[in-house]
Amino acid sequence: MRIAIIYGSTTGVTQRISQQIKDLLGDIAAEPVDVTLFDPRDVAKYDALLLGIPTWNIGEMQEDWEDAASGFLIPEIRGKKIAIFGCGDQGGYPDTFGDAHGLLWNILEPAGPALIGTWPTDGYEYDGSAAERDGRFLGLIVDDDHQPELSDIRVREWCEQIKRELGLTEVLT
């Protein structure tokens, strides 16, 4: 099993979370790479892609992902297991909380990847999100601004979930 961790980060928070995920997943995950440096043709080298994207401004994709997302629409993405993680601000932007997850998935979904790592909406306080489908987020959303005490716990639990969904028997302790 080989996992790529690809992120876009303007303030460094999503980059930090990417490294935390790598540390928790260990050797099965490659070192996190900025989306501006990742060649989408390399997706064939990986069994799964963990895509880190923060929601920026009022419900927008982080600018590096805006430029790079369409590059992932290649035949090798079909059937590829993809999980999305990133940051949002439920206090400052409760109507567009985590929207970048939904925007990214809307671009990728027609190419046929398999989404894993959906995350419960319980414990968040927001009014609307393009990242929500069927009562779950399309991936992990961390709010370091308003719930920093939950960030590490959520990342750890999400990594455990990802390992289970990928059929890896060893669960993080």
Side-chain angles (χ1 to χ4, degrees):
M1 175 66 58
R2 196 76 178 132
I3 300 171
I5 303 172
I6 306 156
Y7 68 88
S9 188
T10 301
T11 64
V13 177
T14 304
Q15 180 180 10
R16 178 181 53 77
I17 293 169
S18 297
Q19 188 60 53
Q20 184 179 5
I21 290 168
K22 162 57 179 151
D23 293 345
L24 288 166
L25 293 178
D27 292 340
I28 63 170
E31 286 298 322
V33 62
D34 190 299
V35 69
T36 62
L37 303 174
F38 185 81
D39 184 343
R41 294 174 294 191
D42 287 342
V43 300
K45 297 177 182 177
Y46 299 96
D47 300 297
L49 308 175
L50 308 184
L51 306 179
I53 183 169
T55 299
W56 199 248
N57 292 324
I58 302 173
E60 298 173 18
M61 288 175 48
Q62 190 265 348
E63 64 185 21
D64 296 334
W65 273 108
E66 283 181 357
D67 295 337
S70 63
F72 284 78
L73 299 176
I74 56 176
E76 292 83 2
I77 204 81
R78 179 164 297 287
K80 187 69 60 178
K81 293 177 181 170
I82 290 180
I84 303 171
F85 67 94
C87 303
D89 180 347
Q90 62 193 319
Y93 303 96
D95 295 326
T96 59
F97 179 60
D99 276 6
H101 283 57
L103 296 172
L104 180 59
W105 184 245
N106 288 344
I107 291 169
L108 299 177
E109 185 178 26
L115 182 67
I116 64 171
T118 65
W119 189 251
T121 59
D122 300 339
Y124 296 88
E125 295 180 26
Y126 65 99
D127 297 324
S129 177
E132 187 178 341
R133 303 282 195 290
D134 301 322
R136 292 179 68 84
F137 290 126
L138 294 171
L140 173 66
I141 304 177
V142 173
D143 186 346
D144 256 5
D145 293 325
H146 294 92
Q147 294 178 323
E149 72 283 359
L150 297 176
S151 295
D152 289 346
I153 295 165
R154 286 175 171 158
V155 170
R156 182 173 200 73
E157 289 177 359
W158 188 73
C159 286
E160 291 174 359
Q161 176 183 328
I162 293 298
K163 287 184 83 167
R164 285 191 304 273
E165 290 184 34
L166 291 174
L168 303 170
T169 56
E170 177 190 335
V171 176
L172 303 171
T173 55

